[in-house]
Amino acid sequence: QVQLVESGGNTVQPGGSLRLSCAASGFTLGRYAVGWFRQAPGQEREGVSCISDSDSIMHHVDSVKGRFTISRDHGKNTVYLEMTNLQPEDTAIYYCATAGAWGVCGPHTRAEDMKASEYDYWGQGTQVTISS
């Protein structure tokens, strides 16, 4: 059974850090580009970061550059999103998703151009809340 499971969401104070995990089962995650999206209440889902299937390309939206890092552990079949210096505007449900199509998260794309429609399998999401 193909499944993606996010974990690591929590409530932290501004300036805090979290590491989100996206664990895959039933398939090899390393064959796919993986994206992290987030959706805040009343807002559309937006792409945050992506990593290519080769791990050679990583993109982050400008609002999280220098604070968020996406990475992959092939041995654990897991992709991570390391988040530091978290701010209230980072509060959202965070989703990971895989993309099998060629060119998604490629050298000529940007995280700002991430489209949910280009991603096939999705996890259930994990809540991140930044509050003092």
Side-chain angles (χ1 to χ4, degrees), residues 61-81:
V61 293
D62 285 347
S63 61
V64 307
K65 279 181 181 175
R67 301 189 299 121
F68 290 15
T69 303
I70 190 170
S71 63
R72 190 195 303 261
D73 185 329
H74 290 271
K76 294 184 178 180
N77 214 24
T78 299
V79 167
Y80 301 100
L81 186 66

Side-chain angles (χ1 to χ4, degrees), residues 19-129:
R19 187 177 77 161
L20 304 184
S21 298
C22 172
S25 59
F27 70 104
T28 302
L29 191 59
R31 295 178 179 173
Y32 299 89
V34 175
W36 282 98
F37 291 76
R38 64 186 179 186
Q39 188 166 19
Q43 296 188 21
E44 293 187 356
R45 190 170 298 189
E46 66 167 347
V48 177
S49 303
C50 67
I51 185 167
S52 65
D53 54 358
S54 65
D55 296 346
S56 61
I57 297 167
M58 289 164 277
H59 295 301
H60 302 276
V61 293
D62 285 347
S63 61
V64 307
K65 279 181 181 175
R67 301 189 299 121
F68 290 15
T69 303
I70 190 170
S71 63
R72 190 195 303 261
D73 185 329
H74 290 271
K76 294 184 178 180
N77 214 24
T78 299
V79 167
Y80 301 100
L81 186 66
E82 192 79 38
M83 307 187 295
T84 63
N85 192 21
L86 285 159
Q87 300 301 315
E89 54 266 32
D90 296 316
T91 295
I93 299 174
Y94 284 71
Y95 301 88
C96 67
T98 63
W102 181 87
V104 176
C105 199
H108 304 296
T109 65
R110 305 179 307 156
E112 284 80 359
D113 298 326
M114 290 172 64
K115 297 180 179 63
S117 59
E118 294 178 333
Y119 289 77
D120 309 304
Y121 293 110
W122 291 78
Q124 83 290 346
T126 186
Q127 177 71 49
V128 172
T129 303

